[in-house]
């Protein structure tokens, strides 16, 4: 069966090569052994994986969580590449994925919450007691103009495709709502789509359950396109990995550079035990839900190892870049075992939160011949930075994009040049309702600059100010004691939000827009107090 698939794959890619027309992108040619080859690129994105969900420590010390999780292949990747200890995404999935594919900050692209149904706000955003939420871009991104409630942008895979890459999507897409163009990854520049559609979670992780297909009323969440594994005793993570390897093999056979976007559904809910790994966590008397979660983490790590082994076996590891990242902080408010908001400690809170537990991610990059092995950087990066970075990695010197690119390339950091990126402001904007409660959860805007982070809460215009360098757990709110720092950051945050035409909620009691963070109504509550 695999041989048949391989033949079909090679035929498909050959057809793609013949029919492909180079457009506006310009790239250095592939195939010159003198170092001018376009590298293969694997972007390995995990869903809902927290900063601590790994045996690789991203803090100054190893923690109990680092001892709990078994991720030997992440350890292997870290030894061969560079760790980023202060890498950021957004606090929920769709905003991160749209920023990744467009290079835009969420405040600008306005896909500020998770997408699914066309033209519909999320149910938790309707009839809120205190806030009326803006009509954000509920339909996600669009590669064509004039799609209502969607951000029109030139997608990253489309630019790579035009520059000669064979582009492979495997796993979770979540780029556009049902019935919109970006629902199908092929519409945004992927040559191959493996199991990607509008939904952001699987109905089932089990082949024996057909990944949710055939369950009445559950079709919206059922994972498409993996019929060959229906009825088999195989975990979704493994099936996706096998298909991704087949797709890479097609590109290797015809010596075409590939971009693999390996976007796992794991470790998103529903929590399913991966029977290859779950028993040892149960034997260690871990909470049953946490044992399932840990087994999903280890299955994800096996996928990473399988891809790395494939590269070595094919002799292409030296010309393949691997970027490892998560789309938001680890889930902690609901559906986990143990006490909520504690699963990412020492970080506060988790997914859905503007606190570090919701936005700080495990990130590793291996670029053979460029990144120093077993190295680490504390330079800040944020998810929109991946867009210009990957284009620079691909040696794409000129490209045209219809959108404004907010991201900044971190290639200089990877080259270990003297870079101090940490006075650059980073921004988050979430004028929405996630539906849960907890530290940092709610409609917020935030800025990090230097050691400090300011969070502005839309519901009542209060602030939190933290010195992250000294207080990684965000336990000491400095808003009332460091007023000048608060004011400076509030002004910079307000200027940025207005500059990108960010949306704000409306207060139901006054029917007035929530004030900007630097408005007297907001900042005066702090500054004018004696």
């Amino acid at each position: 069966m695999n041989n048949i698939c391989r033949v079909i794959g090679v035929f498909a890619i050959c057809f793609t090569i013949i029919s492909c027309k180079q457009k506006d992108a310009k790239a250095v040619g592939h195939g010159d052994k003198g170092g001018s080859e376009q590298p293969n690129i694997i972007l390995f994105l995990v869903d809902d994986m927290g900063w601590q969900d790994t045996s690789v420590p991203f803090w100054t010390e190893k923690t109990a969580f680092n001892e709990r999780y078994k991720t030997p292949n992440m350890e292997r990747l870290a030894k061969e590449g560079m760790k980023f200890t202060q890498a950021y995404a957004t606090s929920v999935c769709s905003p991160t994925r749209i920023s990744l594919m467009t290079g835009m900050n969420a405040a600008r692209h306005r896909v500020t919450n998770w997408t699914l149904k066309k033209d519909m706000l999320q149910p938790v955003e309707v009839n809120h007691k205190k806030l009326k939420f803006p009509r954000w871009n509920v339909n996600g991104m669009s590669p064509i103009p004039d799609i209502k409630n969607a951000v029109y942008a030139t997608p990253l895979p489309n630019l790579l495709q035009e520059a000669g890459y064979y582009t492979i999507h495997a796993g979770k897409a979540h780029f556009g709502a049902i019935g919109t163009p970006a629902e199908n990854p092929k519409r945004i520049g992927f040559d191959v789509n493996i199991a990607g559609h509008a939904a952001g979670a699987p109905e089932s992780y089990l082949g024996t359950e057909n990944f949710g297909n055939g369950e009445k009323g559950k079709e919206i969440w059922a994972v498409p396109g993996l019929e060959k594994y229906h009825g088999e005793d195989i975990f979704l993570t493994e099936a996706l990995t096998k298909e991704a390897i087949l797709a890479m093999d097609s590109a290797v056979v015809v010596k075409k550079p590939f971009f693999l976007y390996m976007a796992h559904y794991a470790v998103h809910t529903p929590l399913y035990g991966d029977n290859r790994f779950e028993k040892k966590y149960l034997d260690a008397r871990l909470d049953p839900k946490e044992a399932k979660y840990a087994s999903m983490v280890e299955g994800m790590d096996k996928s990473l190892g399988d891809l790395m082994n494939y590269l070595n076996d094919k002799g292409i590891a030296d010309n393949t870049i691997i970027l490892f990242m998560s789309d938001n902080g680890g889930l902690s408010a609901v559906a986990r075992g143990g006490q909520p908001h504690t699963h990412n400690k020492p970080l506060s809170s988790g997914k859905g939160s503007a606190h570090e537990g919701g936005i700080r991610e495990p990130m590793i990059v291996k670029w053979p011949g460029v990144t120093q092995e077993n190295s680490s950087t504390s330079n800040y990066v944020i998810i929109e930075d991946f867009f210009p970075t990957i284009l620079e990695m691909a040696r794409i010197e000129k490209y045209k994009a219809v959108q404004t690119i907010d991201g900044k390339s971190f290639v200089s950091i990877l080259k270990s040049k003297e870079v101090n990126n940490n006075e650059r402001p980073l921004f988050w904007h979430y004028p929405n309702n996630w539906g849960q409660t907890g530290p940092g959860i709610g409609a917020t805007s935030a800025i990090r600059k230097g050691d400090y982070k300011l969070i502005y809460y839309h519901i009542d215009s209060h602030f939190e100010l933290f010195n992250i360098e000294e207080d990684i757990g965000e336990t000491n709110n400095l808003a009332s004691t460091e007023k000048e720092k608060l004011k400076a950051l509030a002004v910079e945050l307000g200027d940025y939000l207005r500059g990108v035409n960010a949306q704000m909620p409306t207060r139901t009691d006054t029917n007035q827009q929530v004030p900007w963070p630097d408005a007297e109504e907001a900042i005066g509550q702090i500054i004018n107090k004696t």
Side-chain angles (χ1 to χ4, degrees), residues 457-508:
Y457 291 83
H458 300 169
I459 197 164
D460 58 5
S461 295
H462 85 271
F463 292 93
E464 288 180 334
L465 177 67
F466 300 107
N467 185 320
I468 301 299
E469 182 66 22
E470 297 178 357
D471 178 26
I472 196 172
E474 294 168 295
T475 60
N476 183 22
N477 183 6
L478 304 172
S480 62
T481 58
E482 297 202 27
K483 296 179 181 180
E484 290 306 311
K485 174 62 72 173
L486 185 150
K487 183 177 180 180
L489 291 174
V491 167
E492 191 162 5
L493 178 58
D495 284 345
Y496 178 79
L497 294 176
R498 287 187 294 271
V500 298
N501 198 24
Q503 296 175 295
M504 294 292 279
T506 298
R507 290 181 174 163
T508 57

Side-chain angles (χ1 to χ4, degrees), residues 206-225:
L206 302 182
T208 54
E209 296 180 354
N210 300 336
F211 308 117
N213 289 276
E215 294 193 33
K216 190 174 182 181
K218 304 291 187 179
E219 296 86 356
I220 197 170
W221 303 104
V223 180

